[in-house]
Amino acid sequence: MLAASGFLTIGVFLALVLSRRVSVLFALTLVPIAAALLGGHGAGLGELVADGLLTVAPVAIMITFAVLYFSLMIDAGLFDPAVTRILRWAKGDPLKITVGTALLTLLVALDGDGASTFLITVSALLPIYQRLGMRRIVLAGVVCLGAGVMNMVPWGGPTARAMAALELDSAQLFLPVLPAMFAGICWVLVAAYLIGRSERKRLGVVSIEVGERARLTGADRVRFWINAALTLALVGCLLFQLADLEVLFLVAFLVALLINRPSWQGQQELFAKHAYNVVLVVVVIFAAGVFTGILTGTGMIKAMAESLVAVIPDAGGALLPVVTAIAGMPLSLVFTPDAFYYGVVPVLAETSAALGGDPAAIGRAAILGQMTTGFPLSPLTASTFILLGMSKVDLGDHQRFIFGWAFGTTLVMTAVALLTGVL
């Protein structure tokens, strides 16, 4: 009965989200609360919700200060020199421009926010593509690939959701897949080279002039190098796990704020400009805490996993992470990230644990195959329409053009993950 309630809860949640009848926030909270009340858990509902909120609080804090930090760095022009250098290096060669697009995307996507990545890369590169006669679908596709891989960072949407849903930290989930992520980056560059080569064959090399970037002097120059050093130090501390991620981002943001926006008015302007993005992400993270807290605390997830164990052969447990990784990319066309990570991954992880597997391996497999926020292919993902709207590309054309390359990225990373033993 408990398993049936769990499956029904997830089914209703998925149906509501996929049909777009209600918001994700509404579905993540009201559906499990209704299920708990109908299942006779009303007396302990407050405790279940509180437990769930406590588990996702560190992730929510990390996301808050990560978005604020990188938004501040973008406003401060930290990435402007890289944009200018890539454009100057590429000039009128379609192949170089395509590879430069991939490099720029890989750099800018470090913030883990697909919307800001698309705004920066498409705004900088679309005029060059149009001037050379390059296809806009190439721009959208290559940006899609680069953002998809880089969205695996712990403060990116997929990994943050996986950590929240499975109550894992980045040391358990992200660090083991670093070799696979590096392989994915290499694959993106290879794909960009091959796509760019076809554009060069179609158009040839065109002479083009790239405007000079305004040179920084005095205090602005000093501030730029301080920002660069601070960002490099932050990334190093994140990779070596010198402290909790939420603490690192909090300290780094406060230091960056004092350097770039020391005045009260400047700080208020920053918060007003980026408050919407921060609140939108954090509220959904807390709603996910309600969802997972109720399903875990009532025993629904455990009961669902036990029912799945009864029908899955013993040998199937070892293959479950691989199947999750490979199937995740095609499923991104029909599942939102929230629906997949909060509705499906916990059940798969519990099932894997019951069969003797490592639940963390399911989380790693999920981020290898379900980078839907980074791979803007699904009509259920808002960032898809930001990318396509800015680049003026049709959704169907975009999916047909880049799906094979995106699926190839997942296959390459899954193969490396198997070789390194993290699945």
Side-chain angles (χ1 to χ4, degrees):
M1 186 66 182
L2 198 57
S5 298
F7 283 118
L8 181 61
T9 300
I10 291 179
V12 172
F13 165 72
L14 294 177
L16 289 175
V17 172
L18 294 177
S19 66
R20 291 186 170 184
R21 293 184 181 278
V22 298
S23 67
V24 172
L25 175 64
F26 187 90
L28 279 172
T29 52
L30 185 61
V31 172
I33 289 174
L37 293 175
L38 292 174
H41 300 281
L45 184 60
E47 184 178 352
L48 295 175
V49 171
D51 289 343
L53 292 175
L54 286 174
T55 61
V56 300
V59 176
I61 295 170
M62 178 195 69
I63 288 292
T64 297
F65 290 105
V67 172
L68 287 173
Y69 179 84
F70 283 108
S71 297
L72 177 56
M73 289 296 105
I74 290 171
D75 289 349
L78 179 61
F79 302 110
D80 289 351
V83 171
T84 301
R85 284 190 173 89
I86 289 174
L87 294 178
R88 188 183 300 122
W89 166 73
K91 293 185 178 178
D93 188 343
L95 189 153
K96 288 184 178 181
I97 289 174
T98 308
V99 175
T101 300
L103 290 171
L104 179 62
T105 304
L106 292 169
L107 174 65
V108 177
L110 184 65
D111 69 345
D113 179 27
S116 63
T117 298
F118 305 148
L119 288 169
I120 293 171
T121 53
V122 176
S123 297
L125 296 171
L126 183 58
I128 305 297
Y129 274 70
Q130 291 176 326
R131 185 168 177 180
L132 289 180
M134 294 178 65
R135 293 176 294 168
R136 294 189 301 270
I137 199 170
V138 171
L139 172 60
V142 174
V143 170
C144 169
L145 293 177
V149 172
M150 292 306 295
N151 215 33
M152 290 174 63
V153 294
W155 50 93
T159 306
R161 288 181 178 91
M163 289 191 296
L166 300 181
E167 300 179 23
L168 300 172
D169 58 32
S170 61
Q172 297 168 294
L173 196 66
F174 173 69
L175 290 183
V177 299
L178 268 177
M181 181 178 176
F182 179 74
I185 291 173
C186 293
W187 167 259
V188 168
L189 294 176
V190 170
Y193 175 84
L194 295 175
I195 294 171
R197 190 173 63 176
S198 67
E199 283 294 280
R200 177 200 272 177
K201 183 177 179 180
R202 188 175 69 89
L203 296 172
V205 178
V206 181
S207 176
I208 187 172
E209 295 294 329
V210 179
E212 291 290 329
R213 179 180 62 91
R215 292 185 177 275
L216 298 177
T217 58
D220 290 337
R221 185 179 181 85
V222 173
R223 189 180 299 111
F224 171 83
W225 286 111
I226 293 175
N227 286 335
L230 178 62
T231 302
L232 289 174
L234 172 61
V235 172
C237 292
L238 292 171
L239 293 177
F240 288 102
Q241 296 290 302
L242 298 184
D244 292 336
L245 270 66
E246 57 270 23
V247 175
L248 290 173
F249 273 114
L250 170 61
V251 173
F253 172 68
L254 292 176
V255 173
L257 199 61
L258 290 174
I259 294 170
N260 297 277
R261 298 288 184 94
S263 68
W264 179 86
Q265 182 178 355
Q267 293 174 8
Q268 291 300 110
E269 291 174 354
L270 175 74
F271 294 137
K273 181 178 180 181
H274 300 290
Y276 176 78
N277 291 333
V278 174
V279 171
L280 189 64
V281 175
V282 172
V283 167
V284 173
I285 291 290
F286 278 124
V290 176
F291 189 87
T292 56
I294 291 176
L295 264 66
T296 301
T298 57
M300 291 184 191
I301 288 182
K302 184 177 181 180
M304 285 187 289
E306 290 175 350
S307 67
L308 288 176
V309 169
V311 298
I312 297 177
D314 292 340
L319 297 176
L320 198 55
V322 179
V323 173
T324 301
I326 294 176
M329 179 56 208
L331 288 176
S332 69
L333 297 177
V334 294
F335 281 100
T336 66
D338 297 307
F340 183 77
Y341 283 102
Y342 301 134
V344 178
V345 169
V347 177
L348 294 176
E350 192 71 23
T351 302
S352 178
L355 292 171
D358 181 7
I362 295 295
R364 298 174 199 136
I367 63 175
L368 292 176
Q370 257 280 337
M371 297 168 292
T372 48
T373 307
F375 281 162
L377 288 164
S378 172
L380 302 173
T381 306
S383 60
T384 299
F385 298 100
I386 296 176
L387 174 61
L388 299 183
M390 293 193 64
S391 57
K392 302 175 184 176
V393 173
D394 178 74
L395 175 62
D397 294 338
H398 173 65
Q399 290 175 331
R400 286 189 292 271
F401 177 77
I402 208 62
F403 179 85
W405 296 106
F407 192 37
T409 309
T410 291
L411 294 178
V412 168
M413 291 193 297
T414 301
V416 173
L418 284 171
L419 291 175
T420 54
V422 300
L423 293 185

